[in-house]
């Protein structure tokens, strides 16, 4: 990421004082807009904007062959695409480790909380429903993980499970997908020793490391991921978890 | 007559040579989003292309054999020779320079480097630079007088602001850019700066 | 190979399945400058199509071997999202169809963009089809034109297009997915509205010379309607600022 020393210095200096360039508090989100059912062709979809960051999520079902070690279950696959549209540094090619990490972190939260009951996806022997969630990053202005996780939640929440008849999926008709839990994430960047929620690009560059907590209602932690070279203390870990629980209710209300 | 034109839109039924236009079959058409007046066509958007003698604000991108490569927020980079530098620079350092030479493919050599530290860097559209500077530097002087800030405007759309009421200076610069193609801007900016400067004083 | 269908796509009075006349376009909405990071961008919502285009550049040419010392290189990339169709989930990334479409789109802008002004650089046009319903390559070119103008890249004209075709024996403008799948011919056409010349042209089916000629005229007429929407979208961005400044005249 191209940044300059003036900007990095300013962000670190502000962070030391508990301040941020746009005047937000250390644990404030930018404006969040959720567009539900943004892409009606898909069985479920949403577009989430956090500030200028934009991530779309699409949910699709297909008939698949169950995994051999789980023969009576359907499948859940989460994929993320850092589209070339979204940032000057996103280039075409095989998935970058950042896009893989993004997909796997969002996946881990959803899977740990068993939001989707894949056991109910068995259709007949050797055939089950495969649920695909595709996270499409359209505009990278910081904090892709939280935007992606929220988009995934909004897409799942409004998703329609197609009806299965004579070996085919009838997508126009179906039932509402049942979600056992609603998972949201909070990602914190460590800048000059302070923890900052919902970072913008410049703050991510000035940061030494990041920690993401995925939580669900009832104040359960479902997934965590530490990234970057900074270290975190136990107190910091638990503080961030508390913020994630508090913000969880706020984020769930947006969906 | 003042109107916004899009690429391919006719601006004159005579052949006119100017920036942001091309001539076809004796008529003149715009090539970019522009403001067309009776006299000329002013592009509203566009990238910066190095021009000999320009004062620009660069960011050190990498060290090379002869010195440094500077990012100018342009499709083209500038080279800065070691011999012209009094100190060593690192990746990310902000350096103002003058463009000593520019060849036909827009490769530029920079000189007179000065490292910029502290303060704030504002990114604006290069096409708005003349508006921010104003006729004979009048708009720039207006901003500096009412905010007490030192403002250096790089032709490549990077503006360095230091000292005084930096926040107000940045706000003013962004406002000038947002309303660059409207009339009566100088008056509005004078009123705006007077008002906001007085308000800041009250708060302080 | 002529496609035949038992489905009556066009009634004897000329009405199509969705109620349109043979020359009507589907509802078309274009928004310029929707993305913050890209140098220029546009969202085209055309019928059920949702196509997003972003432009980066001119910028340093990458890969270096494509650098041209006399002009900017243009790189267009058309991709469909895995959730864009109303049938199965597809694999993300390019496939043969999307690569061919990327190529013909690139040629449109190699004609229009004044590439000599930016030698040794590259202009990247990234197009993502978020939702598809017939005519996505046309929507893609329409969006890319607006995105390029939004980025301030000098061009001779905006490119606008329409998918003309034949279904149930009738020549139609702006085929939707059903008409494309079950009709007899599909002719994606992109023109330069200033000159009326062809910038993109593909065709399948079996048509007579007269049908080709009438199809071209039908396309040109429809393209002018698309062009009007593109111009409206671009000027809208600047009109709002003009208004605000007017009302703020203290």
């Amino acid at each position: 990421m191209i940044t300059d020393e003036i900007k990095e210095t300013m962000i670190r200096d502000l962070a030391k004082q508990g301040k941020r360039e746009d005047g937000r508090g250390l644990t404030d989100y930018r404006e969040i807009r959720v567009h539900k059912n943004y892409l009606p062709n898909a069985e479920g979809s949403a577009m989430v904007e956090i500030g200028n960051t934009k991530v779309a999520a699409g949910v699709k079902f297909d008939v698949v062959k169950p995994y051999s070690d789980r023969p009576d279950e359907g499948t859940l696959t989460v994929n993320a695409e850092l589209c070339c549209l979204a940032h000057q540094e996103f280039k075409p090619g095989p998935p970058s480790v950042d896009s893989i990490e993004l997909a796997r972190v969002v996946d881990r939260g959803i899977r740990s909380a068993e939001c989707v009951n894949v056991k109910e996806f068995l259709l007949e022997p050797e055939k089950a429903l495969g649920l695909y969630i595709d996270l499409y990053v359209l505009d990278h202005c910081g904090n892709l993980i939280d935007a992606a996780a929220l988009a995934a939640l909004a897409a799942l929440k409004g998703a329609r499970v197609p009806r299965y008849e004579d070996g085919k999926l009838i997508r126009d008709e179906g039932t509402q997908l049942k979600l056992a839990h609603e998972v949201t994430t909070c990602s914190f960047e460590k800048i000059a020793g302070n923890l900052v929620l919902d970072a913008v690009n410049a703050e991510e560059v000035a940061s030494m490391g990041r920690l993401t907590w995925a939580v669900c209602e009832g104040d359960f932690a479902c997934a965590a991921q530490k990234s970057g070279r900074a270290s975190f203390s136990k107190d910091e870990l638990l503080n961030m978890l508390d913020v994630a629980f508090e913000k969880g209710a706020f984020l769930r209300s947006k969906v | 007559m003042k109107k916004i034109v899009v690429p391919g839109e006719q601006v004159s039924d005579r052949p006119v040579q100017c920036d942001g236009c091309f001539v076809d079959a004796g008529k003149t058409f715009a090539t970019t989003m522009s403001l067309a007046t009776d006299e000329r066509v002013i592009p509203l958007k566009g990238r910066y292309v190095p021009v000999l003698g320009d004062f620009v604000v660069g960011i050190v991108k990498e060290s090379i054999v002869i010195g440094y490569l500077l990012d100018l927020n342009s499709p083209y980079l500038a080279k800065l020779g070691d011999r012209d530098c009094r100190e060593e620079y690192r990746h990310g350092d902000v350096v103002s320079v003058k463009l000593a030479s520019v060849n036909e493919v827009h490769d530029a050599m920079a000189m007179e480097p000065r490292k910029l530290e502290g303060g704030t860097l504002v990114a604006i559209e290069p096409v708005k630079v003349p508006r921010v500077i104003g006729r004979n530097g009048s708009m720039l002087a207006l901003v500096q007088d009412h905010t007490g800030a030192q403002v250096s405007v790089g032709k490549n759309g990077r503006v360095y602001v230091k000292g005084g009421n930096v926040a107000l200076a940045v706000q003013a610069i962004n406002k000038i850019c947002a309303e660059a193609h409207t009339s009566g801007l100088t008056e509005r900016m004078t009123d705006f700066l007077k008002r906001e400067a007085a308000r800041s004083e009250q708060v302080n | 190979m002529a496609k035949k269908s038992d489905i009556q796509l066009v009634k004897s009075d000329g009405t199509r399945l969705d109620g349109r006349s043979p020359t009507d376009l589907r509802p078309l909405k274009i928004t310029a400058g929707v993305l913050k990071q890209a140098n220029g961008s546009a969202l085209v919502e055309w019928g059920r199509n949702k196509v997003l285009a972003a432009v980066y550049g001119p910028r340093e040419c990458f890969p270096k071997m494509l650098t041209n010392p006399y002009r900017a290189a243009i790189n267009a990339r058309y991709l469909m999202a895995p959730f864009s169709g109303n049938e199965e989930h597809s694999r993300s990334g390019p496939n043969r169809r999307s690569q061919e479409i990327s190529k013909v789109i690139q040629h449109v802008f190699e004609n229009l963009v004044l590439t000599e002004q930016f030698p040794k650089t590259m202009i990247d046009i990234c197009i993502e089809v978020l939702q598809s319903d017939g005519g996505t390559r046309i929507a893609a070119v329409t969006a890319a034109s607006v995105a390029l103008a939004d980025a301030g890249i000098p061009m001779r004209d905006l490119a606008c297009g329409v998918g003309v075709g034949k279904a149930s024996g009738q020549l139609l403008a702006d085929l939707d997915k059903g008409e494309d799948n079950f009709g007899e011919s599909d002719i994606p056409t992109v023109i330069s509205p200033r000159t009326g010349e062809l910038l993109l042209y593909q065709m399948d089916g079996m048509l007579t010379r007269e049908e080709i000629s009438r199809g071209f005229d039908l396309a040109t007429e429809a393209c002018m309607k698309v062009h009007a929407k593109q111009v409206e979208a671009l000027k809208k961005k600047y009109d709002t600022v003009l208004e605000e400044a007017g009302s703020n005249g203290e």
Side-chain angles (χ1 to χ4, degrees), chain C:
Chain C
M1 187 70 90
K3 292 179 271 195
K4 299 263 195 266
S5 169
D6 299 325
I7 304 171
Q8 184 71 354
L9 293 163
V10 187
K11 295 212 281 259
S12 47
D13 66 353
T15 328
R16 296 150 83 166
L17 284 181
D18 62 359
R20 283 187 287 153
S21 82
T23 54
D24 282 339
L25 299 182
R26 289 169 288 176
L28 172 56
K29 181 174 168 204
I30 306 179
T31 322
V34 291
L35 300 177
K36 185 91 181 5
Q37 286 294 338
N39 294 127
S41 58
L43 175 66
V44 165
E45 295 168 280
W46 195 335
R48 283 172 72 97
N49 288 311
K50 264 195 174 76
V51 180
L52 187 56
V55 167
Y56 285 94
R59 56 179 176 176
E60 212 180 323
C61 196
F62 185 82
K64 282 252 185 307
M65 62 183 179
L66 291 177
T67 309
N68 184 321
Y70 304 106
R71 46 184 73 240
I74 303 218
N75 180 40
R77 224 168 156 249
Y78 161 103
L79 289 167
M80 293 185 85
F83 42 72
S84 57
N86 60 2
E87 292 302 324
E88 314 84 56
H89 172 263
S90 59
R91 274 225 312 265
S92 51
N95 55 35
R96 287 159 60 88
R97 175 182 167 274
S98 70
Q99 286 179 302
E100 186 205 355
I101 293 175
S102 300
K103 180 176 192 285
V104 295
I105 290 178
Q106 189 165 302
H107 295 320
V108 170
F109 299 108
E110 282 170 345
N111 174 298
L112 292 178
V113 173
L114 290 142
T115 51
E116 332 73 69
Q117 289 188 16
F118 294 97
K120 299 194 335 187
T121 65
M122 172 159 272
I123 297 172
D124 283 297
I125 305 172
C126 315
I127 305 163
E128 292 280 353
V129 176
L130 300 176
Q131 181 158 280
S132 72
D133 190 44
T136 57
R137 78 194 67 192
I138 295 298
V141 173
T142 305
S145 298
V146 176
L148 284 162
D150 186 48
I153 288 177
M155 298 188 284
R156 276 176 261 277
D157 205 354
L158 294 171
C160 52
V162 78
V164 162
K166 184 175 167 187
S168 298
Q170 273 260 37
L171 281 178
L172 306 169
D174 191 18
L175 296 187
D176 61 32
K177 184 153 178 239
E179 291 165 337
D180 183 5
N181 285 354
F182 301 109
E184 293 117 71
S185 173
D186 176 30
I187 318 172
T189 310
V190 171
I191 62 163
S192 164
R194 192 176 59 85
T195 61
E197 293 203 314
L198 277 177
L199 298 171
L200 183 157
Y201 194 74
Q202 296 178 290
M203 180 248 154
D204 66 8
M206 267 172 76
L207 297 185
T208 65
R209 186 187 190 281
E210 201 252 331
E211 284 172 323
I212 294 285
S213 174
R214 272 198 298 130
F216 188 93
D217 295 335
L218 186 59
T220 305
E221 193 193 310
C223 282
M224 299 319 278
K225 295 184 198 171
V226 176
H227 184 240
K229 293 268 180 175
Q230 289 174 307
V231 173
E232 189 191 320
L234 284 166
K235 293 193 179 180
K236 192 166 178 190
K237 256 186 95 175
Y238 293 90
D239 283 344
T240 43
V241 180
L242 267 168
E243 271 169 34
E244 263 171 41
S247 64
N248 266 0
E250 285 116 351

Side-chain angles (χ1 to χ4, degrees), chain A residues 67-107:
Chain A
Y67 292 124
S68 48
D69 57 341
R70 287 166 201 261
D72 51 354
E73 281 179 13
T75 62
L76 168 69
T77 314
V78 179
N79 199 38
E81 204 66 41
L82 299 181
C83 303
C84 298
L85 292 175
H87 197 275
Q88 57 176 337
E89 302 210 350
F90 291 168
K91 299 271 175 9
S96 67
V97 71
D98 290 326
S99 78
I100 293 171
E101 186 186 31
L102 175 63
R104 288 177 65 90
V105 170
V106 172
D107 177 305

Side-chain angles (χ1 to χ4, degrees), chain A residues 55-75:
Chain A
V55 179
V59 169
K60 273 267 175 200
F61 285 93
D62 267 347
V63 176
V64 298
K65 187 156 182 268
Y67 292 124
S68 48
D69 57 341
R70 287 166 201 261
D72 51 354
E73 281 179 13
T75 62

Side-chain angles (χ1 to χ4, degrees), chain B residues 23-164:
Chain B
V23 176
D24 187 25
K27 297 194 174 27
T28 311
F29 303 90
T31 59
T32 57
M33 294 299 301
S34 309
L35 183 64
T37 62
D38 289 321
E39 302 97 47
R40 36 188 197 136
V41 174
I42 308 160
L44 294 168
K45 286 205 83 163
R47 303 300 302 281
Y48 172 73
V49 175
V51 171
L52 177 63
D54 272 357
F55 170 81
V56 294
V57 176
I59 298 175
V60 175
K61 193 174 164 188
E62 58 183 271
S63 285
I64 50 175
V65 178
I66 62 139
Y68 306 95
L69 269 181
L70 300 179
D71 167 276
L72 299 181
N73 192 26
S74 161
Y76 304 100
L77 299 163
K79 291 197 179 111
L80 177 62
D82 268 325
R83 294 170 308 157
D84 294 304
C85 303
R86 259 169 291 157
E87 55 182 311
E88 266 187 44
Y89 297 121
R90 293 184 316 172
H91 173 90
D93 278 348
V94 181
V95 182
S96 72
V97 293
K98 194 162 166 201
L99 295 181
S101 73
V102 180
N103 68 11
E104 336 67 65
V105 284
H106 309 295
D107 290 326
M109 287 294 304
M111 65 177 183
E112 293 175 24
R114 227 170 313 162
K115 186 167 167 183
L116 303 174
E117 289 178 287
T120 304
L121 209 57
V122 185
I124 65 170
E125 295 263 351
V127 292
K128 308 274 165 76
V129 165
R131 214 55 160 106
V132 171
I133 295 177
R135 207 170 302 177
N136 296 324
S138 54
M139 187 69 90
L140 188 58
L142 191 66
V143 174
Q144 292 189 132
D145 289 341
H146 283 91
T147 61
Q150 171 213 334
V151 182
S152 305
V153 183
K155 284 269 164 65
N156 60 334
R158 287 195 177 128
V159 182
Y160 179 65
V161 184
K162 191 169 186 181

